[in-house]
Structure formats: structure tokens, C-alpha cells
Amino acid sequence: MCEERHVGESGVIRYPIGIQTFSEIREDGYVYVDKTAFVHQLIQEGKYYFLSRPRRFGKSLLLSTIEAYYQGRRDLFKGLALDSLTDDWEPHPVLHLDLNTRNYHEHASLIKELIRHLEKWEKLYGDEKKDRDVEERFSHVIERAYEITGKKVVILIDEYDKPMLSAIHNERLADSFRDTLKAFYGNLKSMDRYIEFAMLTGVARFSKISIFSDLNNLRDITFDNDYSAICGITNEELDRHFQAGIESLALTYGISREAVRKQLKSRYDGYHFSMSLVDVYNPFSLIYVFASKSFDNYWFQSGTPTFLVHILEKQGMQLRKISRYCIDKQTLASAGIMAEDSIVTLYQSGYITIADVNIENNEVILDYPNREVRESFLKFLVPYYTNVKESESAFVINSFLHEVNEGNAEEFMRRLASLVARVPYGGKGSVPEDHFQNAIYLVFTLMGYRAHVEQRMSRGRIDMTVETDLYVYIFEFKVDASASEAMAQIHERGYWKGFEASGKEITLIAANFDSLSRTLNDVEIQRL
């Protein structure tokens, strides 16, 4: 179904901003990218499913689509793939639990949310067990729904992990959430004889030893090649559904349609959810771009990943190592919720994705998916590693850009020293050198330069190099030593020799961090 058919009375194409209900999208004429063939495939192939995808990636709409099918709403599917794939539209009772509508700051908030849904279902199927625990009430509703309708029950659970993510900093609260949800979700196995279909979605996986330890009947399709595009928008779908949107952007910016496609691809494409490396665009950002006729960083602005900062600092993550990170495929696929490895956490949250696959070694390469995520994420981190407020980051970065391009190493190093002065670092595994190097890496990366870290040379590894059209900057960092020692190491190992043929001016920069005063207290600069 083409985008041009989704036109309201005013003649304006309707994009579903903030709308995640399938029936509303279809009845009110919003643009809909047809994913119903995947729904048919799910129903034909199995009964119990789990799917992990980043936030705002279409999980809720997918479950709403499945709900409409099992309600027998064939009218909503007219012209879509599923309408021609099946003649079985017999209604089933559907229990749809959405845990994304509440903040979970205490255990009682989870119980209240579960009870809110239970009371709605009990009005239909009986409340004889209303004084029992929530897991017992749930099992009773499932059984009664089957007995009253004569049809097996469909269970859809959206953002099943929201309570756990809310308690990421509170181990005791997280344990209480885990115990409650483990018992509640356990009905998906114990009540199997009454269940027709069940699907859970979320941002992250739970390990086998926690909530899902008893649910070995769930099929995890998170990394399944056949379902890699079940959420998000592919290049083929972009061409089929959004030609008018592309044309509108071309007119707005005064550029060609091909130039628009390049912008869309560099900013919002690049997600891969399986080893097949099928390209997927972020649907949230893409819809907003077409609706607003403006390129911007919509997905990142929709939610601030403060919990990620806590994890990165706690685990002493070296930001410069995020790009092109190699990890064993099985480690990535089997890691539980908020894994010990912060790289896995970044992947589960959508800030990095599968960039490449090494089939022989069964490894995957992780990297930022696109420009929107890379720039926004690093810019967001600047206030945590420097003295720059988020509102000031653009000015500071622009000042650096001018000084680096002009070869003014003395000035940009003075600015850098003031930025990192007395910035606290902390968390288990965090060390001063990591923290300061993260700060320096952030600044140079946000200027658009490819900051090469730990670059291997014949006689060692250079801490960092930055190249412009005219200059090469070679950095060596020390902690609680001296800049002269760092400069001596540069000369002893001849770090600059690999750049002599570039024809660019080479600047050597040696710097020492004082861990006690938390300052960049000693800098030497030499030009060759």
C-alpha cells in the first residue's frame, strides 16, 4: 500500500506520530508499513515467542496488530498481506498487558499496574479470585476466559522488562520485581493447555536463571534471520511507502531525491538485528522526519539514557573502544538483562548494532548504527566527562574545531585542561586515565574527526592520533608522571615516522594527568 493513499480530507499525508494502535492507524488513514506477513509467519510457525528490540522501534504496534488479528478484525487488514494469506479469522480472547505506562519506583507500583489489568479482565471473565495474589488471579482469568468463550487465550505482554529497567540502581527493588514477575509470567507455561498464542517484547533479555528460568517454551526470535525486519523499516519499504515524503524533503531543502536518500541512510539507517545484516531504519525517527519535513535527532531526544551513564562509569567503559567492537556471537545472544558487559547493554538499548559478521570465528562487530545515534550519544555524554554543560557543548565544540583546524595546539590544549579540571570520576573499575582519555576522545570525535586510539606502530601503540587536512596531532598521556616522560616515549619509539609521508605538519602533544587534583597539570607541545 503506497504512502500517497494515506491522505486526509485536507490532502495532507497522515503520519502516525505517537500512535501505536493498529486499529487507529488503519481506521484513520495513517501511513502503515505492512508487517502482517510476519504475523502470519509467527502464527504458522509456533505458539510462544520473545522479541527484544530497542525502545520506540515498533514493538507495541506489532503486538497491537497481532491483537487485531486474534480479535477477528479482518476489516482492518483489507489490502494487507495477511488478508490474502489466511481465511481463519475466528476471534479469541486476548489478554494484552502493557507495562510501559507507569514508572516503577516501588514494589507497590508494579502490583498496582498488574491489578489494573487484572480488574479489567475480571470484569469479563469473573473475579472469584480477586483476593488472591496477582499470579493466581492471572491463572484464573486465563482458565475462565477459555471456559467462557470456548476458545484458547492469546497473551501479549508489551515492555515486560520496564519494571526491571526502572530498578537498575536498586538491587533490592529489582529482586522484588523479579520475584513477582517470575511467578506472574510463569503462567505462560503452567496454563499451556488454555493458551493459543503468547508473545513478550522488551528492550533487553532476562537470563535463564532469573525471570524466564521456567519458561523454556519461549522461542527467542531476537536474532532470527527470518524476523530481522519484523520491526523497523527496510530500504524496500522506504521506497514503497515514502516516495511523497522523500519528494517533500527534497523540495524543502532544495536538494535532489538521491541526496535526501543519502541523508536518511546516514542519519537513520544501519540497524542490523541478525547475522543476515538486513538494513533497517529507525521507524520513530523516519516517521518524524517526514512529518516535520526536517532532519533532526528524534529518537535520541525521545528518551535520555541516564542509566547507561551509570553503567558506563561503574564498569569503567572506555568510550573510544565502542566503535568496531568485536564480540562472540553467543555471548551477545545469550547475555541477560543489563549484562555485566556494558557493550552488551549498549547493544540491547539500541546505541550500537551489528555492523559486520565474522562467520569463521563466530564473531560479530558492533558499532554505532548511524550518525543520529553516534553524534547524539557522545554529545549527551560530554557533561559527564567534562565541565561543559549540555547547553554549551555546541559552542565549545565549535571553538575547538577552529583551533584544531588552525594548528593552534597551545590554545585547544589550554581549553581542554579547563574542561577536564576536577571532573569527578568514579565507579568500580574506573581509573583516572580512562576518564580523562574518554573526555578527550569525546571532544575530538564530536568535532567530526576520527580519533584513532591505541594505534599500533612497529615499536608500540600511540595513545591517540587526530588528523585534519593540514595537521597530524600525536598524543601520549601519562598519569601521575610528567609530560616530559610522555614526550620522551614519543621520541624513543618514533611515533611520528608513519606520518612523515603525509605532507602534513606533525604536532607532538605530551600530557600528564594528576589523579589527586584531577587536572591536566603538565603539557608539552613540539612541532616537527
Side-chain angles (χ1 to χ4, degrees), residues 115-305:
I115 289 176
R116 184 175 72 85
H117 284 83
L118 287 167
E119 288 176 343
K120 179 176 63 176
W121 301 330
E122 287 168 341
K123 287 181 180 179
L124 298 174
Y125 306 117
D127 63 356
E128 295 86 352
K129 303 287 187 179
K130 65 181 180 181
D131 296 325
R132 305 292 181 90
D133 291 335
V134 290
E135 64 270 17
E136 189 173 351
R137 292 171 66 175
F138 189 32
S139 66
H140 179 69
V141 165
I142 295 171
E143 182 176 356
R144 289 295 294 151
Y146 170 75
E147 292 173 348
I148 291 173
T149 65
K151 301 295 180 182
K152 289 188 176 183
V153 180
V154 173
I155 299 175
L156 306 173
I157 301 178
D158 196 7
E159 303 293 356
Y160 84 101
D161 52 355
K162 175 68 178 295
M164 297 296 299
L165 294 175
S166 299
I168 196 69
H169 308 314
N170 187 332
E171 187 174 348
R172 180 176 296 181
L173 182 59
D175 287 342
S176 68
F177 285 158
R178 184 181 298 110
D179 292 342
T180 296
L181 292 174
K182 183 176 182 179
F184 194 84
Y185 295 148
N187 284 293
L188 297 181
K189 185 172 184 179
S190 63
M191 304 300 289
D192 173 69
R193 62 191 179 278
Y194 303 116
I195 297 175
E196 173 73 15
F197 180 92
M199 188 169 191
L200 291 82
T201 69
V203 170
R205 297 181 71 256
F206 280 101
S207 65
K208 296 296 184 183
I209 62 173
S210 60
I211 287 184
F212 289 169
S213 59
D214 298 327
L215 292 180
N216 53 11
N217 56 337
L218 283 177
R219 176 185 171 185
D220 186 350
I221 60 172
T222 299
F223 292 94
D224 196 313
N225 289 330
D226 289 341
Y227 293 101
S228 59
I230 194 171
C231 292
I233 297 173
T234 65
N235 281 293
E236 186 271 335
E237 289 167 340
L238 179 65
D239 288 334
R240 189 194 315 166
H241 295 279
F242 298 100
Q243 285 301 320
I246 292 173
E247 179 66 29
S248 182
L249 281 168
L251 291 173
T252 298
Y253 282 92
I255 57 179
S256 68
R257 294 165 62 92
E258 184 59 31
V260 170
R261 286 295 305 266
K262 288 181 179 179
Q263 284 290 328
L264 294 174
K265 188 169 186 62
S266 68
R267 289 173 180 267
Y268 313 115
D269 194 15
Y271 282 95
H272 305 118
F273 296 112
S274 74
M275 304 305 114
S276 64
L277 298 180
V278 173
D279 273 342
V280 178
Y281 286 80
N282 185 319
F284 184 85
S285 293
L286 213 53
I287 292 295
Y288 262 89
V289 168
F290 291 128
S292 64
K293 300 182 179 65
S294 176
F295 296 117
D296 208 337
N297 296 336
Y298 298 101
W299 179 77
F300 196 89
Q301 293 173 5
S302 69
T304 303

Side-chain angles (χ1 to χ4, degrees), residues 91-106:
H92 288 259
V94 179
L95 306 179
H96 191 162
L97 173 63
D98 183 359
L99 292 180
N100 196 41
T101 59
R102 181 187 289 267
N103 292 320
Y104 302 93
H105 299 307
E106 57 183 1

